[in-house]
Amino acid sequence: MLGYPAHFGQMECLKLVASPKYADKRLGYLGIMLLIDEKTEVLTLVTNSLKNDMNHVNMFVVGLALCTMGNISSSEMARDLCSEVEKLMGSSNTYIRKKAALCALRVIRRVPELHENFISRSKSLLNDRSHGVLITGITLVTEMCQQNPENVAIFRKAVPLLVRHLKNLASAGFSPEHDVTGVTDPFLQVKILRLLRILAKNDREASESMNDILAQVATNTESTKNVGNSILYETVLTIMDIQSEAGLRVLAVNILGKFLSNRDNNIRYVALETLNKTVGIETQAVQRHRNIILDCLRDGDISIRRRALELSFALINEGNVRVLTRELLAFLEVADSEFKQGMTTKISLAAERFAPNQRWHIDTMLRMLKLAGSFIREEVLAGFIRLVAQTSELHQYTVQKLYAALKQDISQEGLVLASVWVIGEYGDVLVDSGNFEEEEGVVIEVTDYSVVGLLESILLGPYANQVTREYVMTALMKLSSRLSEGSAQNKIKELLLQHTVSMEVEIQQRAVEYTNLFSYDSIRPAVLERMPIPEARTIIESGNSNDSPSVRRASTGGHGPSDQDLLLDLMGVGTSGGNAESTEMMPQSPMATSSPAPPKTSNVDLLADLFGAGPSSPAPASSPSPPKTTTKTTTTTSNDLMDLLGGGMGGETIPQQSTSPRNNSSNYGLDSLAGLGQNLPSSPSMGSTAPAPTAATSYEAYTKNGLTVRLLPSRDRTNPAIINIQVLFSNNGSQGVINDLQFQAAVPKSQRLQMNAASNTTVQPNTTEKQMMRINNPQQVLIFNV
């Protein structure tokens, strides 16, 4: 009805349904299916008519009712008429059984818990001789097994029966009633194969019982027509999903390989997609079709090229890395721009993982930089620089290759950055080696001045951006300590001096600093020494290849943060720092060392405390011996408050007698806050529990009208600029119940304050409530207001 209002016709349709004439009922039910959906309120009036017509003596009237319910049934209607549908599934009429099975499919989709009502009836449908009833019964059983995996074990007993049905279809002669282009009932064959795949998954016995028929279907089905290809495709999926024999899996891969030769793009796409999923199971079988897969890289359809590219990378191993990488580099030269960045990343990963030697690895990366230097990710470029730095025996070879490549092409950003970095680091090796012969007998001249001139041409060229200029400036400065020719030195100074007035702040700063460094010839060579080998960086590959891992690390590291740490970090109550044992506690003040140290709490305890359900009393831990003297040195109050935020301003220390915070209650505990920033223990997170407040471990900030406020500070375990403070509100009962408790704090704009809600705004007599706050002072500002 194209969205036009149709409510005026809904009641008319209900009147037609109530008519005793078949023609009126047919028209009424057709109108209901078109004008009413399961969300329409009028639908409740149709339920009674459907129930009456399901018990009609005319099978066509029953069929109309079942068809209507199967199209528009709501969950309420499904519950009301479930028993009627179940009864009709046992009818002696094949027409009614078929319609009832389809209606039952709608019922269990709307109300999944009603599937138990149809289990027994569904078993009888699988043994039906009628093709129509059999295909609807198999569809119903498939849906029940997919929705409720526990039903698989119930219907697994029907596997021999389904195998027999499939065998009859595969060996049956011409049947005009069910023939489709020479294949007997392909729709039923596909449904049976799909159900067999579900029933035999992870079951050895069921898989063995269907190996023979799967081999027969795969061998005898004609592949010249689309109908046969659909059956073969389902057969391949079934073979790969069950615990089939190795020979059968090879046969399935060969079928997919034959699909790749088909002219139909859809069939080739399906074959590539399926091979991508199966390459991890039967790698050797897929390798046999490597050439035709590589041919798909030149297909006109971009979807096929993308799938063939993913499959090609999945096929790379130690034995074929040279051949496949050569083909992929050839494709990289003509590939679409959207492919190039992903290709360079994957080629880099494959070369790093399967490189037969370092020389081949460097040559491959050089070739990639020449072809797609502008599509190189930063991590890949860093990996190449690290490769060059750690391969000292190939420094001369590499720097010569990059120098020659740079003289030919300065338009590829990745190539320029890598070449400039290597020439800056190993320019002396390049110059000392003298002239060298490049491919095709071309001799490349190398002098001090020519090297500097090449960098100048990049610096002033049309392709230079800020990052390129930064690299060139640093490389020129490096060369000033590696080249000895006077003209080259003067040229370097001239280029640096020109950029001391650059409009780009970073370039100007580098030029000024480098120019001033020429005044310190005694330390300049040491400052400009070669860089150590860079640390390995993680390259994250965006792809779904089954053979190569999506994330590869070039070096082994420690364990990452746990799930609990990540959860705490997500909630803003700690940092996901990984292994907590690697963190050292900060030294405690003498006052704090006299009491037991708070025990280490697990992340579960931290979360429990965060939600106000902290653990009971913590177990005492061993503590260092108390100090032998009663005096201590503290900084002034203002300096300690600044140190609380990581200011670290060291004031003069004065000796004073150790006193309890109680003695300073008249000043609301501000004197005791003087030691708040000293020797704070590191805490795992903002939500960590602390021991009961005592004069030795807490700082009294406020005492008045029966309310005492104590602060328990601790530094974050991974960021000393972050202070976690637990605020404890204690009511001694002298003023009764304290209501509407509200605690406020303020910090300068350069700092960040995060406060959790208090555990309770009402403090009962002789009880303690708590609140957590977290202060972040990234700029180490030495200002704090109380």
Side-chain angles (χ1 to χ4, degrees):
M1 295 295 290
L2 301 178
Y4 287 98
H7 57 276
F8 60 89
Q10 293 173 358
M11 297 307 298
E12 297 299 324
C13 290
L14 292 176
K15 294 177 182 177
L16 288 173
V17 167
S19 171
K21 297 180 180 180
Y22 172 75
D24 293 345
K25 286 183 178 294
R26 183 174 60 178
L27 184 60
Y29 279 127
L30 179 60
I32 286 175
M33 285 186 281
L34 292 175
L35 305 180
I36 299 178
D37 59 21
E38 57 182 287
K39 299 178 182 178
T40 309
E41 296 180 359
V42 182
L43 187 62
T44 55
L45 303 177
V46 184
T47 304
N48 192 49
S49 298
L50 289 175
K51 186 173 183 179
N52 293 334
D53 287 339
M54 284 182 184
N55 295 313
H56 203 279
V57 293
N58 189 336
M59 68 174 187
F60 296 109
V61 174
V62 177
L64 285 175
L66 289 171
C67 185
T68 304
M69 181 180 175
N71 278 280
I72 66 170
S73 173
S74 62
S75 56
E76 293 79 8
M77 181 183 288
R79 290 188 178 92
D80 293 339
L81 301 178
C82 175
S83 58
E84 302 295 328
V85 175
E86 180 187 358
K87 182 177 67 175
L88 292 175
M89 286 177 65
S91 171
S92 59
N93 190 307
T94 57
Y95 175 81
I96 294 179
R97 290 203 304 274
K98 179 178 68 174
K99 295 284 187 181
L102 290 175
C103 192
L105 183 64
R106 171 82 176 198
V107 170
I108 63 173
R109 284 178 177 172
R110 287 293 172 266
V111 189
E113 58 267 23
L114 294 178
H115 74 279
E116 297 179 353
N117 298 345
F118 303 106
I119 290 179
S120 59
R121 296 289 188 183
S122 300
K123 291 178 182 179
S124 62
L125 294 180
L126 296 180
N127 203 21
D128 204 293
R129 293 185 177 183
S130 170
H131 279 228
V133 177
L134 183 57
I135 195 171
T136 54
I138 290 176
T139 305
L140 178 60
V141 172
T142 303
E143 182 71 21
M144 293 169 69
C145 291
Q146 288 176 338
Q147 284 194 354
N148 300 278
E150 63 270 13
N151 290 335
V152 173
I154 299 174
F155 290 105
R156 190 167 283 154
K157 299 175 182 178
V159 168
L161 177 62
L162 294 171
V163 168
R164 188 165 65 248
H165 284 315
L166 188 58
K167 191 172 184 178
N168 292 335
L169 290 171
S171 59
F174 177 73
S175 175
E177 187 178 357
H178 306 105
D179 181 84
V180 179
T181 65
V183 179
T184 303
D185 208 341
F187 300 101
L188 181 56
Q189 291 192 50
V190 167
K191 293 282 187 181
I192 293 176
L193 288 167
R194 196 169 296 170
L195 181 56
L196 287 175
R197 181 165 75 246
I198 296 173
L199 297 179
K201 194 170 185 178
N202 301 323
D203 187 88
R204 171 70 64 181
E205 184 179 353
S207 299
E208 290 178 352
S209 65
M210 62 182 70
N211 279 334
D212 293 339
I213 185 58
L214 290 176
Q216 181 180 345
V217 172
T219 306
N220 298 336
T221 303
E222 188 178 357
S223 61
T224 57
K225 298 177 181 178
N226 199 40
V227 173
N229 288 330
S230 64
I231 296 175
L232 288 174
Y233 175 64
E234 286 296 334
T235 305
V236 169
L237 293 182
T238 304
I239 291 173
M240 289 302 177
D241 272 8
I242 67 174
Q243 299 178 9
S244 55
E245 298 173 350
L248 203 56
R249 291 199 298 270
V250 172
L251 176 61
V253 173
N254 291 338
I255 291 173
L256 295 175
K258 192 181 297 183
F259 281 179
L260 294 178
S261 304
N262 199 297
R263 293 183 179 181
D264 191 339
N265 284 352
N266 294 323
I267 295 176
R268 290 156 66 197
Y269 179 87
V270 164
L272 290 169
E273 184 75 17
T274 310
L275 285 172
N276 263 313
K277 298 175 182 178
T278 60
V279 67
I281 304 173
E282 284 295 329
T283 307
Q284 293 303 320
V286 180
Q287 290 282 0
R288 298 191 187 99
H289 305 281
R290 187 177 66 203
N291 293 333
I292 194 169
I293 292 171
L294 292 174
D295 289 340
C296 291
L297 291 174
R298 298 169 180 82
D299 193 271
D301 191 324
I302 188 173
S303 300
I304 292 178
R305 293 201 302 272
R306 182 178 286 110
R307 293 294 169 261
L309 188 61
E310 292 175 1
L311 185 56
S312 300
F313 281 112
L315 291 175
I316 297 178
N317 56 30
E318 293 86 348
N320 60 22
V321 63
R322 292 177 181 269
V323 177
L324 278 179
T325 303
R326 183 170 62 249
E327 292 289 340
L328 290 171
L329 287 173
F331 176 65
L332 178 63
E333 191 171 4
V334 298
D336 300 278
S337 298
E338 61 181 290
F339 288 163
K340 288 189 175 181
Q341 187 174 41
M343 285 190 66
T344 55
T345 303
K346 292 180 180 180
I347 290 174
S348 173
L349 288 172
E352 180 183 356
R353 183 179 181 186
F354 302 114
N357 53 65
Q358 299 285 11
R359 173 80 173 259
W360 179 88
H361 192 180
I362 290 176
D363 285 340
T364 300
M365 297 297 292
L366 286 173
R367 175 69 174 160
M368 187 177 71
L369 287 170
K370 291 178 183 179
L371 293 176
S374 300
F375 298 91
I376 302 290
R377 290 172 57 182
E378 182 184 352
E379 304 94 301
V380 176
L381 192 62
F384 173 69
I385 290 175
R386 182 177 185 275
L387 171 66
V388 175
Q390 68 183 6
T391 315
S392 56
E393 67 275 10
L394 294 176
H395 281 170
Q396 178 181 335
Y397 174 80
T398 307
V399 73
Q400 287 178 346
K401 287 287 186 181
L402 287 171
Y403 181 77
L406 208 55
K407 288 184 73 69
Q408 295 178 359
D409 184 13
I410 61 171
S411 63
Q412 301 286 348
E413 182 181 359
L415 175 64
V416 171
L417 295 180
S419 303
V420 168
W421 191 95
V422 173
I423 291 173
E425 287 294 315
Y426 309 110
D428 52 341
V429 177
L430 175 64
V431 173
D432 293 343
S433 62
N435 299 345
F436 62 93
E437 185 175 340
E438 187 57 18
E439 299 174 359
E440 301 177 357
V442 179
V443 177
I444 305 294
E445 181 184 357
V446 180
T447 63
D448 290 12
Y449 195 82
S450 66
V451 173
V452 177
L454 179 60
L455 295 183
E456 180 187 14
S457 65
I458 297 171
L459 195 62
L460 304 178
Y463 303 104
N465 54 30
Q466 181 173 345
V467 176
T468 306
R469 286 191 283 271
E470 291 172 3
Y471 271 62
V472 173
M473 299 288 287
T474 304
L476 287 171
M477 195 61 200
K478 290 267 188 176
L479 290 174
S480 69
S481 67
R482 290 162 172 72
L483 305 180
S484 56
E485 190 177 310
S487 58
Q489 293 286 342
N490 293 333
K491 189 64 176 178
I492 291 174
K493 293 178 182 179
E494 179 186 343
L495 291 173
L496 292 175
L497 190 62
Q498 290 176 2
H499 287 83
T500 55
V501 292
S502 172
M503 295 297 291
E504 296 169 325
V505 177
E506 176 68 22
I507 303 297
Q508 183 185 112
Q509 180 179 351
R510 291 191 185 210
V512 171
E513 291 175 352
Y514 292 159
T515 303
N516 290 336
L517 193 56
F518 280 104
S519 305
Y520 301 92
D521 288 337
S522 58
I523 65 170
R524 184 162 56 90
V527 172
L528 301 176
E529 282 184 352
R530 288 180 181 173
M531 295 288 291
I533 298 176
E535 295 182 359
R537 298 179 62 176
T538 302
I539 300 178
I540 301 179
E541 173 192 348
S542 57
N544 55 358
S545 172
N546 296 327
D547 185 64
S548 58
S550 60
V551 178
R552 283 187 34 82
R553 296 185 180 273
S555 64
T556 57
H559 295 291
S562 65
D563 293 341
Q564 291 92 342
D565 289 331
L566 295 174
L567 177 59
L568 289 171
D569 183 56
L570 179 64
M571 298 173 68
V573 295
T575 54
S576 54
N579 196 353
E581 274 69 17
S582 62
T583 310
E584 294 183 358
M585 298 291 290
M586 298 181 64
Q588 293 184 339
S589 63
M591 178 181 290
T593 56
S594 61
S595 65
K600 291 183 180 179
T601 56
S602 67
N603 289 321
V604 178
D605 293 333
L606 298 180
L607 288 174
D609 181 69
L610 176 66
F611 292 106
S616 54
S617 61
S622 61
S623 61
S625 354
K628 298 189 180 203
T629 60
T630 58
T631 61
K632 65 174 182 175
T633 59
T634 62
T635 57
T636 61
T637 303
S638 60
N639 287 343
D640 282 326
L641 288 173
M642 290 181 234
D643 184 55
L644 170 64
L645 298 177
M649 177 177 178
E652 296 182 358
T653 60
I654 55 172
Q656 67 177 21
Q657 295 293 327
S658 175
T659 58
S660 169
R662 282 284 187 186
N663 299 332
N664 300 320
S665 60
S666 60
N667 294 325
Y668 303 135
L670 291 181
D671 291 338
S672 67
L673 285 176
L676 193 59
Q678 294 185 18
N679 305 322
L680 294 176
S682 63
S683 65
S685 70
M686 195 173 100
S688 62
T689 58
T694 64
T697 57
S698 63
Y699 299 89
E700 190 174 285
Y702 177 88
T703 300
K704 190 175 181 181
N705 298 329
L707 176 66
T708 301
V709 180
R710 297 179 186 275
L711 305 180
L712 276 75
S714 59
R715 290 195 188 280
D716 192 87
R717 64 181 178 184
T718 57
N719 189 348
I722 296 178
I723 306 296
N724 298 324
I725 301 178
Q726 188 173 36
V727 187
L728 303 178
F729 308 100
S730 301
N731 182 4
N732 61 14
S734 62
Q735 301 294 326
V737 179
I738 298 176
N739 296 311
D740 300 328
L741 174 66
Q742 186 176 8
F743 181 76
Q744 296 181 349
V747 296
K749 292 182 179 179
S750 60
Q751 302 160 15
R752 295 183 62 187
L753 174 65
Q754 178 184 358
M755 297 184 67
N756 284 357
S759 58
N760 200 337
T761 57
T762 301
V763 186
Q764 299 293 336
N766 301 318
T767 60
T768 299
E769 302 296 340
K770 57 189 175 182
Q771 186 172 2
M772 290 301 303
M773 65 179 182
R774 176 187 176 98
I775 301 176
N776 185 10
N777 182 23
Q779 300 180 3
Q780 306 291 317
V781 178
L782 305 180
I783 299 176
F784 181 69
N785 295 326
V786 179

